[in-house]
Amino acid sequence: MRAVVFSRYGDESVLELTDRPAPVPADGEVLVDVRAAGVNPVDWKHREGAVRGDRPFPLGMGWDVAGVVRETVPGGPAVGEAVYGMLPLPYGGAYQELCVLPASAVAPKPARLSYAEAAAVPLAALTAWQALEAAGAAAGLRVLVHAGAGGVGHFAVQFAQNLGAHVTATASARNLDFLRGLGVHEPVDRATADLAAAEPFDVVLDTVGGPVQHAAWSLLRPGGALITLPEPVDEAHRLPGVTARRVVVTPDGGALRRIGALVDSGAVHVEVQSVLPLGEAARAHRTSREGGVRGKLVLAL
Ligand SMILES: NC(=O)c1ccc[n+]([C@@H]2O[C@H](COP(=O)([O-])OP(=O)(O)OC[C@H]3O[C@@H](n4cnc5c(N)ncnc54)[C@H](OP(=O)(O)O)[C@@H]3O)[C@@H](O)[C@H]2O)c1
């Protein structure tokens, strides 16, 4: 099968489109004919060696898939069923024609979505879902989502809005109308915003890290919750009275079913900036690393 793999950590040039033996499903795993694979920042972080396991090279790439079930397990999806899902971290294996993942990590592909759109969903949407859950986001609460136009951000703002929260989101000026279209109550230009002057938030989702995480503490009301995604909580900036924790996404087929229902009902829009062929994985990584993607990048097989 065609697969994108890498045999040392490094820049995009280490990615190789090559021929590899098909993976063999272990207990509890399904084998999926991959039609599309989503691209996430963790993909190039893995390629650069910032996310590592201890398996030997060559290593597979990517965590998001949409495709058709070829082999299954009792109680799993039917052979021939269209599914989408997320592989468990830290080993990728989505940028390839066949992939294995736990049956519990897949859900039926939302009928409204193409395979490419479906592959854009799992990791980013599960992250947003699990982050809002960890924060206790609920109706009436004030939620701030940083980088609201990004992969995680555009799902987070829609899930929060769906819960009935009051949603503020940051983005660059070119993305403010996009945020309005997603139902964000207060889209804020990250270059000029003075968030410190805003009414305090109950929840802040930090999708950026560094100074954005440091500034987040003082934007929260006492008892509020800060959820960080790119980095652990920097204890040096902790303020009393605020709960803070990092969420690391985990596969969850049950949550993907609920997310799929929201998508199929029209309540959640999936934004795909571009779909590239598998052979252009390096270009996709470069674009993702530059940091300006609206929604998601996807590789089509
Ligand atoms: N812990 C976990 O389990 C987990 C899971 C998923 C993602 N993450 C991490 O969370 C981060 C976001 O992931 P993602 O998939 O949403 O990334 P992404 O899709 O690449 O985010 C792109 C967005 O970030 C915004 N942006 C770029 N630089 C920025 C800056 N300096 N300040 C504010 N916004 C900026 C851009 O919007 P504008 O141009 O409009 O500002 C762009 O739309 C990544 O570091 C990723 O590795 C962690």
Side-chain angles (χ1 to χ4, degrees):
M1 62 162 191
R2 289 182 310 137
V4 171
V5 299
F6 63 116
S7 296
R8 64 189 162 87
Y9 296 114
D11 66 16
E12 308 89 51
S13 66
V14 303
L15 296 178
E16 241 188 298
L17 178 58
T18 182
D19 197 38
R20 297 285 303 159
V24 178
D27 278 356
E29 288 184 335
V30 295
L31 181 69
V32 173
D33 256 314
V34 179
R35 300 290 164 84
V39 175
N40 294 283
V42 67
D43 301 6
W44 51 261
K45 292 179 184 181
H46 178 51
R47 191 205 68 223
E48 290 177 355
V51 174
R52 295 186 184 212
D54 51 16
R55 283 189 196 161
F57 289 116
L59 292 169
M61 187 39 78
W63 281 272
D64 277 337
V65 290
V68 177
V69 176
R70 185 183 279 207
E71 287 178 30
T72 191
V73 293
V79 169
E81 188 175 347
V83 294
Y84 72 147
M86 179 197 152
L87 280 71
L89 294 159
Y91 301 108
Y95 295 10
Q96 52 193 54
E97 285 177 319
L98 289 163
C99 112
V100 289
L101 70 173
S104 60
V106 302
K109 177 180 80 62
R112 197 182 182 110
L113 300 183
S114 65
Y115 285 103
E117 289 166 329
V121 175
L123 189 146
L126 286 171
T127 304
W129 188 269
Q130 291 166 9
L132 290 169
E133 210 163 59
L141 296 186
R142 287 174 55 76
V143 174
L144 169 62
V145 177
H146 281 294
V152 174
H154 91 293
F155 287 117
V157 298
Q158 296 181 85
F159 295 158
Q161 196 255 10
N162 221 264
L163 287 169
H166 180 89
V167 184
T168 303
T170 62
S172 50
R174 71 190 169 91
N175 281 327
L176 297 180
D177 281 343
F178 171 65
L179 291 186
R180 268 181 213 105
L182 296 179
V184 170
H185 303 101
E186 292 181 55
V188 168
D189 183 343
R190 69 175 165 95
T192 57
D194 180 12
L195 287 166
E199 196 184 316
F201 295 95
D202 300 287
V203 171
V204 177
L205 228 65
D206 164 34
T207 54
V208 181
V212 170
Q213 185 195 130
H214 299 160
W217 292 94
S218 58
L219 304 179
L220 284 152
R221 67 161 175 78
L226 167 61
I227 302 295
T228 75
L229 296 171
E231 296 165 357
V233 172
D234 182 349
E235 294 298 335
H237 288 79
R238 183 178 282 279
L239 289 183
V242 168
T243 324
R245 60 173 280 216
R246 184 190 197 187
V247 163
V248 175
V249 62
T250 54
D252 183 346
L256 281 182
R257 275 179 188 269
R258 295 197 286 282
I259 290 165
L262 284 174
V263 169
D264 276 339
S265 75
V268 168
H269 163 76
V270 179
E271 179 74 7
V272 175
Q273 175 172 298
S274 45
V275 181
L276 300 168
L278 185 63
E280 294 199 26
R283 181 148 76 95
H285 277 210
R286 241 184 336 270
T287 306
S288 170
R289 203 182 194 297
E290 281 161 12
V293 175
R294 177 191 287 179
K296 301 284 304 176
L297 299 172
V298 174
L299 298 169
L301 279 91

